[in-house]
Amino acid sequence: ILITGLVSTVDFAAFKRQFQERWAIGVGVGCQFIIVPLVGLVSVTLFKLPEEVGIIILVITSSPGGSFSNWVCSLFNVDLALSVAMTTGSSFLSAFLLPLNVFIYARAAYGESVKLNWIFFFSSIFVVLAAVTTGLTISTRLSEKVKRVCFKCGNVAAVALFSLSANASNRGSTPLWERPAVFYLGVSFP
């Protein structure tokens, strides 16, 4: 809902033009799959995060950008078409680069490879690509009124997702407010 709602307001011609801007897409892909995962590895090793936290950081920093980056671009009236193009491109590339980065960085941080539910990751990639396709279809075929309703639904979904994520992060064995300062440094660094 979040991605579909935001993408429904993107001009399809502007979206297609973004893929011709090879420099912008190249910088984005380089940051997404080289710089950010490397910063995740530095954070995990520098702050000596336990494996159960470190692996999550490595997976997140190796994952493609998506919903929240699109939402922030939308809120601040930044180039949403570029953000959506980056989300689309990085989602396609993540089918290969996400497992590769997690393998490389988990081995570098903990000396072992990690067993993850790759079906979950690939289904998430499919959901993102389906949401982008649905949003672009709405943007080219439906009225401005429908687009505004979709956009509002996307914003409501973003706030709900943010709230649910914050609530879920407090349900672990140690509440967030009882974690040591190094945990916050290590998690916020990347």
Side-chain angles (χ1 to χ4, degrees):
I1 294 173
L2 168 57
I3 295 173
T4 299
L6 296 176
V7 174
S8 68
T9 64
V10 172
D11 177 58
F12 186 69
F15 172 77
K16 281 180 22 182
R17 264 193 316 274
Q18 296 304 325
F19 287 103
Q20 296 169 353
E21 298 291 331
R22 298 196 196 299
W23 174 251
I25 297 292
V27 167
V29 166
C31 288
Q32 188 68 55
F33 292 111
I34 298 169
I35 304 296
V36 176
L38 189 58
V39 171
L41 174 65
V42 168
S43 178
V44 165
T45 55
L46 181 68
F47 297 106
K48 296 178 178 54
L49 295 175
E51 189 172 337
E52 66 273 6
V53 174
I55 295 299
I56 293 169
I57 296 294
L58 293 174
V59 168
I60 289 171
T61 58
S62 295
S63 296
S67 306
F68 283 117
S69 66
N70 294 335
W71 186 48
V72 169
C73 287
S74 171
L75 288 176
F76 292 101
N77 201 25
V78 181
D79 192 347
L80 185 57
L82 177 59
S83 180
V84 170
M86 273 304 309
T87 296
T88 305
S90 65
S91 293
F92 274 116
L93 290 172
S94 70
F96 169 71
L97 292 174
L98 172 63
L100 178 65
N101 276 343
V102 170
F103 174 79
I104 290 169
Y105 292 118
R107 186 169 291 272
Y110 299 105
E112 59 188 70
S113 59
V114 180
K115 292 184 185 348
L116 296 172
N117 183 349
W118 293 110
I119 299 297
F120 171 77
F121 287 106
F122 291 124
S123 63
S124 297
I125 292 166
F126 175 77
V127 168
V128 168
L129 295 174
V132 168
T133 302
T134 303
L136 289 172
T137 302
I138 291 169
S139 91
T140 58
R141 303 204 189 287
L142 298 179
S143 70
E144 290 300 317
K145 184 178 180 181
V146 172
K147 292 178 195 178
R148 282 193 302 273
V149 169
C150 289
F151 183 72
K152 288 177 183 175
C153 289
N155 280 292
V156 169
V159 171
L161 185 58
F162 186 80
S163 300
L164 289 170
S165 297
N167 186 37
S169 67
N170 285 323
R171 294 185 182 255
S173 59
T174 306
L176 280 178
W177 54 87
E178 292 181 10
R179 300 232 182 216
V182 71
F183 170 82
Y184 294 108
L185 289 171
V187 170
S188 63
F189 183 72

